[in-house]
Amino acid sequence: MKKHNFYAGPSILPQSAIDETINALKDFAGTGLSLASISHRSKEFDAVMNDAVALFKELLDIPEGYSVLFLGGGASTQFAMVPFNLMRKKALYVNTGTWSTKAVKEAKMFGDIIEIKGKDFFSIPKGYDIPDDVDYVHITTNNTIYGTEYHEDLNVKVPLVADMSSDIFSRKVDVSKYAIIYGGAQKNLAPSGVTFVVVKHDVLGKVKHKIPTMLNYQTHIDKNSMFNTPPVIPVFTALQTMKWVKANGGVEGMYKRNTEKAETLYAEIDRNKLFKGTVAEEDRSLMNVCFVMNEEYKELEAEFLEFATSKGMIGIKGHRSVGGFRASLYNALSIESVNALVDVMKEFESKH
Ligand SMILES: *Cc1c(COP(=O)(O)O)cnc(C)c1O
């Protein structure tokens, strides 16, 4: 039976990226050696790093004056690295969920935080003031756990920092509006182990305090992400995923695919008598579709999960903090998988 991979992360990757990685683990770039056992200083891996940076810049249409870095530590390390490098006195954080909450916690160690938060995480706060004197504004463009997402770039007058862990390359982004874009790669780009950071050079060098070498963006800019040993295998896979994105219409192609998938699934959630969506309609994520059972059918939740799993729907259990269901529709997931899930929801409805 075909398995449909709806995991929230680590999550589905293009089959070509997996296959190319398997091949390279056996024989990397004709060296006769495994990707797992070559020097990161070899000319073959140097080419991988350079190609990955170049393709990242091409796909996101990154202007001059920015560097693309591939680091270790996960997005969670960026929660501290961003304030360490940018915070002089205060910053504004829009807290839209569990991950933003963690980012706020780290930032509070470095300065005063103005925290913008709605009454819950089922919608994205709007209509707040941003003082001119904050060092930066931090947002999380896609709330992986609750399923809300910014659908447009925010316009602010101060440097804008965005955690794009779970929606990178899913739509067009005007990078010139951002000072830093970062994310863990394990949602839309690569296996876990690598973190991407897009950083604008002119926002750096403004803090007075010292920054530990490994936590200083300038270190990694100067050494093309090779100050220390980078996560070689995930960087290689990220490059293969980006090649697949390019071959499938780039970020515009991804957006078209993702819109079709999300619209199909939300339409079924809205139509089906058993289910309902959990977040404000205008903020619904294209990446993580969260839904629950209607009150009168609540007791069928476990049964639906079991039924769907038996039909090959993998990873649709909602996050433990939210409950219900979450289907993650990352770039590599096909419309066929969404159609299969919709069929399962219809079949289950017809039984009740
Ligand atoms: C998964 C996720 C993280 C955490 O990433 P790690 O690489 O595990 O540290 C942070 N932010 C968002 C939005 C995420 O989805």
Side-chain angles (χ1 to χ4, degrees):
M1 182 182 49
K2 181 169 165 50
K3 297 275 171 87
H4 300 278
N5 185 350
F6 294 99
Y7 275 127
S11 38
I12 188 165
L13 291 170
Q15 192 56 45
S16 59
I18 306 243
D19 292 341
E20 290 296 335
T21 305
I22 292 169
N23 292 341
L25 283 168
K26 291 183 180 156
D27 179 2
F28 170 54
T31 56
L33 299 174
S34 169
L35 176 65
S37 58
I38 45 103
S39 168
H40 62 295
R41 308 272 175 212
S42 64
K43 71 174 190 319
E44 290 84 3
F45 184 73
D46 207 42
V48 169
M49 183 59 94
N50 289 334
D51 288 354
V53 169
L55 194 47
F56 202 107
K57 286 185 172 172
E58 182 185 329
L59 288 173
L60 267 200
D61 199 12
I62 300 179
E64 289 294 307
Y66 287 79
S67 286
V68 172
L69 310 175
F70 292 105
L71 309 176
S76 300
T77 299
Q78 295 305 310
F79 296 162
M81 213 161 146
V82 164
F84 221 146
N85 282 264
L86 300 191
M87 179 100 71
R88 280 167 290 171
K89 235 180 134 89
K90 63 176 165 182
L92 184 144
Y93 276 65
V94 186
N95 186 344
T96 50
T98 313
W99 296 114
S100 321
T101 303
K102 293 186 176 179
V104 168
K105 177 168 177 263
E106 297 302 301
K108 280 182 174 166
M109 297 183 205
F110 297 88
D112 300 329
I113 301 302
I114 302 170
E115 188 178 350
I116 306 293
K117 200 174 164 184
K119 66 178 193 315
D120 55 39
F121 291 136
F122 297 114
S123 65
I124 289 177
K126 293 164 198 90
Y128 46 88
D129 288 326
I130 299 176
D132 288 337
D133 65 343
V134 293
D135 297 323
Y136 64 93
V137 168
H138 181 284
I139 60 171
T140 309
T141 50
N142 183 65
N143 175 355
T144 323
I145 292 176
Y146 288 78
T148 61
E149 186 177 16
Y150 283 85
H151 296 296
E152 274 162 30
D153 300 312
L154 209 60
N155 286 307
V156 299
K157 294 197 201 78
V158 297
L160 178 62
V161 177
D163 175 354
M164 293 196 188
S165 292
S166 51
D167 62 351
I168 189 72
F169 296 132
S170 68
R171 68 170 171 93
K172 215 166 142 46
V173 167
D174 181 354
V175 176
S176 71
K177 291 186 168 164
Y178 297 85
I180 293 180
I181 294 171
Y182 68 85
Q186 68 274 18
K187 313 282 162 58
N188 236 344
L189 190 58
S192 63
V194 66
T195 312
F196 59 85
V197 183
V198 179
V199 53
K200 192 177 187 187
H201 302 148
D202 73 9
V203 297
L204 301 177
K206 295 185 176 167
V207 299
K208 290 211 185 70
H209 55 253
K210 290 190 174 149
I211 306 172
T213 310
M214 271 298 284
L215 300 182
N216 192 334
Y217 289 121
Q218 198 62 51
T219 303
H220 303 291
I221 293 171
D222 293 344
K223 299 289 183 190
N224 194 27
S225 301
M226 301 259 227
F227 170 75
N228 72 323
T229 320
V232 168
I233 299 170
V235 169
F236 179 89
T237 312
L239 173 60
Q240 310 313 313
T241 301
M242 289 189 280
K243 286 181 180 171
W244 176 87
V245 170
K246 184 174 174 177
N248 285 277
V251 289
E252 273 131 343
M254 292 301 114
Y255 182 69
K256 200 160 162 271
R257 243 172 108 82
N258 293 332
T259 309
E260 187 193 0
K261 287 182 289 180
E263 279 174 358
T264 302
L265 186 50
Y266 283 120
E268 176 59 16
I269 291 166
D270 293 341
R271 186 210 63 77
N272 194 306
K273 71 172 196 260
L274 303 180
F275 302 100
K276 65 173 181 197
T278 47
V279 308
E281 259 183 60
E282 72 275 13
D283 297 330
R284 282 176 161 183
S285 170
L286 300 187
M287 297 280 96
N288 309 99
V289 176
C290 294
F291 55 106
V292 293
M293 233 123 199
N294 271 318
E295 271 326 309
E296 59 269 44
Y297 299 104
K298 264 278 181 274
E299 76 284 359
L300 293 176
E301 236 174 61
E303 193 186 325
F304 175 70
L305 192 62
E306 199 179 311
F307 179 72
T309 308
S310 76
K311 300 271 180 180
M313 306 300 135
I314 309 300
I316 63 163
K317 192 171 169 32
H319 189 272
R320 59 192 182 279
S321 60
V322 183
F325 311 102
R326 170 176 54 174
S328 297
L329 315 181
Y330 296 123
N331 287 341
L333 188 91
S334 68
I335 183 75
E336 286 72 34
S337 288
V338 174
N339 289 336
L341 176 57
V342 166
D343 288 345
V344 164
M345 291 163 77
K346 285 184 173 151
E347 193 181 337
F348 195 72
E349 180 188 34
S350 70
K351 290 176 189 275
H352 294 280

